[in-house]
Each structure stands twice: as structure tokens, then as C-alpha cells.
Amino acid sequence: MFLSRIASQFLRKLVSSSMTDSADFKDIVKQQADIVRIVGEYVKLRKAGAQNYTGLCPFHNENTPSFSVHATLQFFHCFGCGVSGDVFTFIQKVENVTFPEAVRAVAQKLRIPLPKLSYNSPAEAEEAKLRTVLLDVHERAVAFFQECLRRPEGAHAREYLAGRGLSQEVIKAFRIGYAPDSGFFLKDRLKAEFDEETLRASGLFSWKQDAPQAQGSRLQGGSGDTKAETSPGLSDLPDAQSPKPDFKSIYSKFRNRVVFPITSETGRVIAFTGRTLSTDEKAGPKYLNSPETVIYSKSRVLFNLDQAKEAIRKLDYAILVEGQMDCISVYAAGFHNVIASSGTAFTEIQARLLGRFSKNVVVNFDPDTAGAKATERTLGLLVEEEFQIKVLTLDAGFDPDLFIRQKGKVAYGEALKHSQRYFDYLIERAQSQFPIRSAEGKVKALNYLLPHIQRVPSRIVRDELAHEIAQKLGIDSAVLRQELKHAATNRSVASVKATIETQVTDAEKLLIRALTSAGEMQASEQHVSARDAAEEEFDPARQAHFALKNERLHLGLTTESLVESILNSESQTLDVVGLALSDADRNLLAAILMKENEELSPEKLEGAVRALRRIQFKRQMDEVQRELQAAKTHEPDRLRFLLREKDRLKRALMDPALSASESHAAAS
């Protein structure tokens, strides 16, 4: 308290004397700052002792908090990456700003009047000055666009926004405006306050330049001159060597567009997105974004984070959508923890930025092909940053904005509750893209999923995912399971390379050899087992045909399509060469038959049948277990049935004859 009073008295003295001593000002700000509160705006902190607070480090990836803040000593330290420092060091690193700017930022948070800043070099001072001025330019611009929206010429824009279901409160909250269909109104408004070089650097204007005729010649407009339209970017900042157009040659980049401001995490407007209201070909792209400037880097910004961050912290998860209208609609529906990766594919920097507020996210991109690919890329980045991820896939043809407008916020909330685990989503994508009934399709599906598995940092989690994927894709081959496990745990392996033949169990090979072992294939309706056949003349083809045709033991196996083709052959004498097979199945059949190295026997045939029965029982058990995990959604009668089925399958799997026959078939 004593130090606080002294600081306050000294601060008042500094204010009265214009506070020109920046070193003293830095000390005063540091004395006034509460590092726990400042850091808490960026990191979710939990008390871990009398004076200590812990959270996930914002400077490196981690699952277990190793980042600590000491309330009394006013410093932070990460035991994971070793970064430490005071409140200014923290702001410097997290905001990527210079030390003077960090002092200024902390002072602004504390509402302390600012003295004249000092910098380490003229270049640093110039860049900081430009950043400050550009923030002012954008603030004036957003006020201009809002004013234009209210004017008569903004009627079309107001109709558009009303058609999208946006209320006046939402329009005001997002500071949405209208850029008039003129290239000069905005310029005329700003040129009284800002010079031409500043307007060029703002990203709000374009200009036409003559093609250079000779080195050092000035570019002049005129009849017959070749001109190129230029949009400012980081490389277009004012330069003593570059030709500078006068005010007459620059014009507004955004014309006849609804304008959505893009803000920094602290709520300062740093860029715009403009949605065209024109329908002619000369209107340009449907959505037009500001170029990158010294205050705007699109890969470092998340749309609406300034308004969403508190809700994300409170709810401990974020909803990530693609576009700004999606974000605004979801926010207006009451889901205030929504953000968007507008103007760019989701980036690693954006993932880390989001991770400062929560490590849980629901990804809700458009369900079309482009949206699905964007979802996959985003999932990969979030997995590497160790997020807990779910995916919300809406009905075909619906993006979040359209879904809410047509089906309502209650329906969206219900859909949100039923979001999928991210790997369940990817497995479904793999199953839809590749025919996993075939061995070749299974390998393709696995290689599609493998990069996603390998991005998971934890080796234990990768191993568990490999096991789960093998189950859900119906992979029974021990060889292929082992190769998947190896590729998943060893992140340097590029793909699963198991051949189709190695995916086939010994039981399948034996039964296929039996099916093709005789020339006579006479169907029989009489139930005859392989053991019964031993008492008569042993006919392996007939017995294998009966077991597979009646019990359908081959369904879901690698050899399903091959076995089905043999069973459906209408010829009384099986012509192996004449079978209508795919190239993969033909090669597989040849590989199995060429390696025939032992005689078929009733015991081996019966063992193979039992081995396939056991595989089917295991699959049925997996399906029952998965359904029981969602038991809350079932009626009591369904639950009772599932429990009875589980008990039946458990007894069947415990049958010693099944276990013995499986071992015998594997040994053969």
C-alpha cells in the first residue's frame, strides 16, 4: 500500500511535468501493473499456491501446465521452455512488439497517461509511428463506412444485411459499414488528416502506375500509356527510391461493398473485408480483403477473437468457422465463443493464438469438398498443437450462416452437441472415399489417415488411434495391423506398404484353395459340415462353398469380393482363368494358388471355418460395444437386447473349439 501511494504521488507529479523521462515512467508502470491480471488476459491461469498461478505456456506447445506467474515477485517463468521475465517481457513476446511499445501497451491497460516514447533506432521509431498512424486511419475509415451505411446511398447494403438476418444490434457490435460506389469519397475524407504516403501504406487504396520507360523516369498518366493497377502491401511501403503517385491517382480499394472490419485481439481495427453488392463482371471478387500492412498480417489474426475470448475462456472451448458471415451469424445466435479464420487458410500461428484461451475446439467448416479439405488441413494443425478437437458437419448444402437462418439457433445448438471426435470424422471420410471392402481400398484408407495419426505428438495416443482405426476399418490381418502400428508410432514412415496378400488370413487362403480345388461345384441344400464329409468322400470345394454361401463368413474380409465372385460363378466347372475379377483380385488369387504347399483335410477346413466365425464374432462384439458406449440414447428394450447379445458373443468367443481351431488355422 505504501509503495502504491508513493507511486501514485510520483505519477501525478510526472503527469504535471509532461512525463518526459521514459525510464522513470517505465518503473511507475511496472509498480502499478499486476502481472497476474495482465498475463491472465492471455493465459488461463489457476491458483497453485499462496502466490503462484499456473497455466499452459503461450510460447511453446504443452499439455501439462509448466508456465508459472509469481504474484508477489511480479515475474513469470516457464519450466518447459525456460522463458522468463517481467510484465514487459511477457507483452513483448506475446504481442511481438518492441520494448517501448510493450511499456505503452501495459500503460494503456492501466489507463496511465503516456509520455513521449523513446526507441532504440530511427527505423524502429518510424515503424512504431507508422503503426500508430495506420490505426488512426482505420478508425477514421470504419467511422466513414458506418456513416455511409446510414445514408440514403447505403439502402442497398442495409437490404442485403437485413436479408442475411442481421439486426441493428449485431451490425453495431461488428461495426459493419458500407463503402460507396466511388473511388474518391474515402480519400477526400482522409486526405485532410493524413498524407499521401500514409494512405498508400494503409491498404485502403489502389492506384494506377505507368509501366517504366527508362530507369529513373517518372511515371506519368496519359493517352496511350501502359498502366498497371497496384495494391499496397508490405513491399509497397513508402520508399525514397519508388515513384509516388499524387493524390489524384489513388482511389479507394473498397467500392460498392458491405464492409466488415477485422480487429486485433485488443479490438483495434486493422483491416477490412468487403463483400461486393455489384453483379457485373467488373465488380471484382465477391470478397475482397485488405492486403498485409505493418499492422495487419492475416496469418496472425482470428476474426472476432476480441469479442469471443472471454466466452472461450469461460466455456473452455471455441467454435471455429471459415467465413466472417458464418462467424457473425453464429455469434448473433448466442454462441459468443465463435471465431473465424477469414481471408486465409488456418495457420500454425492462429492455432497457437487460440490455444492461449482454450485447448478445446469444435471445427465447423462448410460441408462441400473445399470445406472438407480445409477441415482436414485445420485438423492437422490443431492436432500438432495438442488440441482436443471435435468436428461439426452440417447437412449438405448448409454453411453455418444458412443453417441458422433456415433451421434456427436451437437446431444449431443440437447439432453442436452431436459433434464428432475428429478421428471419427476422418475415418468416415476415408470410408466414403475408398472402398474398404477390398484390400487395396483398405491400404488407401490407411495411407489417407496415416499423416493425421503421425501429427499426434503423443506416441501412446498414436498407438491407441492405430488400434481403433484397424477395428473400425475391419482390418483383421495381423501383418497389416502391425505395419499400421509401426507407421503410426514411427513418425518418419511415409506410408503403409503391406501388399494385399499379406492382409489375407491363413483361414481365408485355405478356404479359397478349397473352393477352387475341384472341377465339380454342385450346390446342395442339405446341411453337411466338413466333419460329416469326412465320413463320405471328402469334397473340399463343396464343403467350403456350403459354409461360405450359407454363413456369409467372408463378408467384410479382405477377400470378400474375390470369394463372392467364385461363389457366384454359374459354371458347373470352375474356370479360374475365366472368372470376372478385378486386377487386384486376380493377382491375389494367383498368389494364393501358386503357394499351395500342403494337402487339404477335413480338420484344416473345419478349423478355417471356425476361425472365420471367430472373426465375425469379434466384429459383432465390437459393434455391440460401440453401441453400448452411446447407451444414453437407447430405449430400455434396446439396452437389454444389447446386453444379451454381448453375453451371447462373449460365451461364443470363449468356446475352446473356436480358440483351438483359430490357432490350428493360423498354424496351417
Side-chain angles (χ1 to χ4, degrees):
M1 292 295 294
F2 175 73
L3 283 175
S4 179
R5 284 200 305 273
I6 295 296
S8 298
Q9 293 170 6
F10 189 37
L11 178 59
R12 286 194 294 271
K13 183 178 178 181
L14 281 176
V15 173
S16 64
S17 61
S18 301
M19 296 191 303
T20 55
D21 192 333
S22 61
D24 288 341
F25 179 74
K26 174 199 70 174
D27 294 335
I28 294 305
V29 173
K30 190 170 182 179
Q31 289 173 1
Q32 295 276 317
D34 175 7
I35 193 171
V36 175
R37 185 176 76 80
I38 300 295
V39 172
E41 294 181 10
Y42 300 86
V43 179
K44 190 173 183 177
L45 295 174
R46 290 184 173 87
K47 195 161 187 177
Q51 300 296 330
N52 283 342
Y53 293 79
T54 63
L56 295 173
C57 179
F59 308 120
H60 81 286
N61 302 330
E62 62 178 8
N63 273 337
T64 304
S66 62
F67 181 84
S68 295
V69 180
H70 198 287
T72 303
L73 300 178
Q74 290 287 296
F75 80 100
F76 73 90
H77 178 75
C78 178
F79 293 92
C81 64
V83 175
S84 61
D86 60 10
V87 66
F88 300 134
T89 308
F90 180 83
I91 293 296
Q92 268 190 277
K93 289 184 173 297
V94 82
E95 294 283 3
N96 191 30
V97 295
T98 63
F99 179 78
E101 288 174 314
V103 175
R104 181 186 180 94
V106 176
Q108 287 176 327
K109 291 175 185 292
L110 302 175
R111 300 189 178 183
I112 298 174
L114 300 172
K116 184 177 180 180
L117 292 176
S118 62
Y119 294 92
N120 295 327
S121 68
E124 183 180 83
E126 188 65 30
E127 185 175 320
K129 179 183 177 183
L130 181 59
R131 274 201 291 266
T132 302
V133 173
L134 290 187
L135 289 172
D136 290 340
V137 169
H138 280 74
E139 197 58 39
R140 302 293 192 283
V142 77
F144 171 77
F145 292 141
Q146 287 179 295
E147 180 185 326
C148 291
L149 182 63
R150 294 190 293 267
R151 289 178 177 175
E153 59 265 33
H156 189 192
R158 294 195 298 272
E159 290 174 7
Y160 168 80
L161 294 171
R164 300 301 293 258
L166 300 187
S167 66
Q168 286 301 314
E169 291 75 14
V170 172
I171 292 172
K172 183 178 179 181
F174 284 89
R175 306 184 73 182
I176 301 171
Y178 169 66
D181 192 13
S182 167
F184 308 106
F185 289 169
L186 178 62
K187 178 189 70 175
D188 292 343
R189 172 68 67 90
L190 297 178
K191 70 180 183 181
E193 295 184 72
F194 306 100
D195 61 31
E196 174 252 322
E197 288 187 353
T198 299
L199 297 186
R200 284 185 69 205
S202 70
L204 296 173
F205 297 93
S206 298
W207 54 87
K208 290 186 183 295
Q209 290 185 346
D210 299 331
Q213 302 299 318
Q215 187 172 356
S217 64
R218 291 190 59 83
L219 301 177
Q220 300 177 349
S223 176
D225 290 340
T226 303
K227 298 184 179 181
E229 184 171 335
T230 304
S231 293
L234 289 176
S235 61
D236 297 302
L237 295 180
D239 188 322
Q241 301 301 318
S242 62
K244 300 178 178 62
D246 57 27
F247 269 118
K248 293 181 181 179
S249 65
I250 68 172
Y251 53 91
S252 180
K253 187 181 186 70
F254 299 98
R255 303 184 300 281
N256 196 25
R257 291 178 180 269
V258 173
V259 179
F260 303 93
I262 298 172
T263 57
S264 67
E265 180 193 327
T266 58
R268 300 297 301 272
V269 178
I270 55 177
F272 294 96
T273 292
R275 201 280 188 192
T276 186
L277 296 175
S278 301
T279 55
D280 58 83
E281 296 180 357
K282 297 181 180 179
K286 183 177 180 180
Y287 287 96
L288 183 66
N289 296 306
S290 291
E292 295 206 348
T293 65
V294 294
I295 61 171
Y296 173 57
S297 175
K298 62 185 180 181
S299 65
R300 295 176 176 271
V301 176
L302 288 169
F303 182 77
N304 195 46
L305 182 60
D306 59 313
Q307 297 191 100
K309 60 186 179 183
E310 289 307 317
I312 293 172
R313 278 202 190 100
K314 182 178 178 180
L315 299 172
D316 196 23
Y317 83 97
I319 303 169
L320 177 63
V321 297
E322 278 185 287
Q324 287 148 340
M325 273 307 306
D326 289 333
C327 184
I328 294 169
S329 292
V330 174
Y331 187 92
F335 304 93
H336 290 172
N337 55 329
V338 62
I339 53 174
S341 58
S342 57
T344 179
F346 197 72
T347 67
E348 181 181 343
I349 297 173
Q350 289 172 323
R352 290 182 178 175
L353 175 60
L354 176 57
R356 285 168 27 201
F357 303 97
S358 177
K359 281 287 190 174
N360 301 303
V361 62
V362 177
V363 179
N364 182 200
F365 286 177
D366 293 352
D368 58 21
T369 303
K373 290 182 178 178
T375 299
E376 291 173 22
R377 289 192 299 269
T378 300
L379 288 179
L381 288 170
L382 292 171
V383 166
E384 288 180 339
E385 296 297 322
E386 302 186 79
F387 277 76
Q388 298 299 312
I389 311 158
K390 289 186 176 181
V391 178
L392 171 54
T393 305
L394 300 174
D395 300 338
F398 284 90
D399 57 24
D401 171 46
L402 184 61
F403 186 94
I404 288 172
R405 282 191 284 131
Q406 292 198 3
K407 300 194 175 187
K409 61 184 180 182
V410 174
Y412 187 81
E414 283 300 310
L416 198 60
K417 291 178 184 176
H418 294 91
S419 302
Q420 292 176 288
R421 288 173 57 245
Y422 75 102
F423 255 98
D424 291 339
Y425 165 82
L426 288 174
I427 290 169
E428 283 191 8
R429 286 272 296 159
Q431 290 171 329
S432 67
Q433 292 184 65
F434 308 104
I436 61 171
R437 289 179 59 185
S438 71
E440 188 177 9
K442 287 180 181 179
V443 171
K444 287 181 178 178
L446 288 176
N447 285 328
Y448 162 82
L449 292 168
L450 187 59
H452 296 280
I453 303 173
Q454 290 177 323
R455 279 179 163 143
V456 176
S458 168
R459 183 187 179 103
I460 295 173
V461 175
R462 292 198 303 273
D463 184 59
E464 291 173 350
L465 284 171
H467 176 73
E468 181 181 345
I469 288 169
Q471 279 191 320
K472 291 189 175 181
L473 294 184
I475 297 170
D476 301 299
S477 165
V479 174
L480 186 54
R481 278 178 178 253
Q482 184 59 38
E483 189 162 345
L484 170 61
K485 182 177 178 180
H486 171 67
T489 53
N490 182 356
R491 302 172 84 181
S492 64
V493 176
S495 64
V496 173
K497 298 178 181 177
T499 62
I500 294 175
E501 185 188 354
T502 62
Q503 301 174 50
V504 181
T505 63
D506 289 336
E508 291 170 82
K509 292 176 183 178
L510 191 144
L511 285 165
I512 288 171
R513 286 173 48 213
L515 284 175
T516 58
S517 64
E520 295 295 327
M521 293 283 293
Q522 298 179 2
S524 173
E525 298 298 326
Q526 180 184 359
H527 177 75
V528 183
S529 72
R531 289 289 185 184
D532 294 332
E535 299 172 4
E536 306 171 4
E537 182 180 353
F538 176 51
D539 185 349
R542 180 167 171 257
Q543 305 312 315
H545 187 277
F546 181 88
L548 293 170
K549 191 79 172 179
N550 286 274
E551 297 187 48
R552 310 299 291 169
L553 298 174
H554 57 293
L555 295 184
L557 298 178
T558 302
T559 55
E560 178 182 346
S561 59
L562 172 58
V563 171
E564 199 67 23
S565 296
I566 297 174
L567 291 177
N568 292 334
S569 174
E570 297 179 357
S571 174
Q572 292 295 309
T573 58
L574 181 65
D575 178 11
V576 174
V577 177
L579 284 173
L581 301 174
S582 67
D583 290 342
D585 281 347
R586 190 173 303 282
N587 292 335
L588 176 59
L589 179 60
I592 292 172
L593 298 182
M594 291 296 181
K595 293 182 180 178
E596 182 177 351
N597 53 12
E598 59 182 337
E599 292 186 4
L600 297 170
S601 69
E603 291 79 14
K604 289 177 180 176
L605 186 59
E606 185 73 15
V609 169
R610 288 180 176 174
L612 294 194
R613 285 178 185 149
R614 184 173 180 82
I615 288 173
Q616 295 297 336
F617 288 151
K618 284 181 177 179
R619 284 187 168 179
Q620 293 171 31
M621 178 67 88
D622 288 340
E623 291 174 5
V624 169
Q625 293 279 33
R626 282 196 293 271
E627 195 168 349
L628 281 171
Q629 288 175 0
K632 292 181 181 178
T633 64
H634 294 307
E635 296 295 329
D637 289 345
R638 180 62 179 170
L639 279 176
R640 283 192 289 271
F641 169 77
L642 290 172
L643 291 172
R644 286 196 303 270
E645 189 69 3
K646 180 180 178 181
D647 184 60
R648 180 187 72 82
L649 292 168
K650 188 175 181 180
R651 288 198 306 272
L653 287 168
M654 291 174 66
D655 183 354
L658 272 184
S659 300
S661 64
E662 184 180 39
S663 300
H664 181 80
S668 67

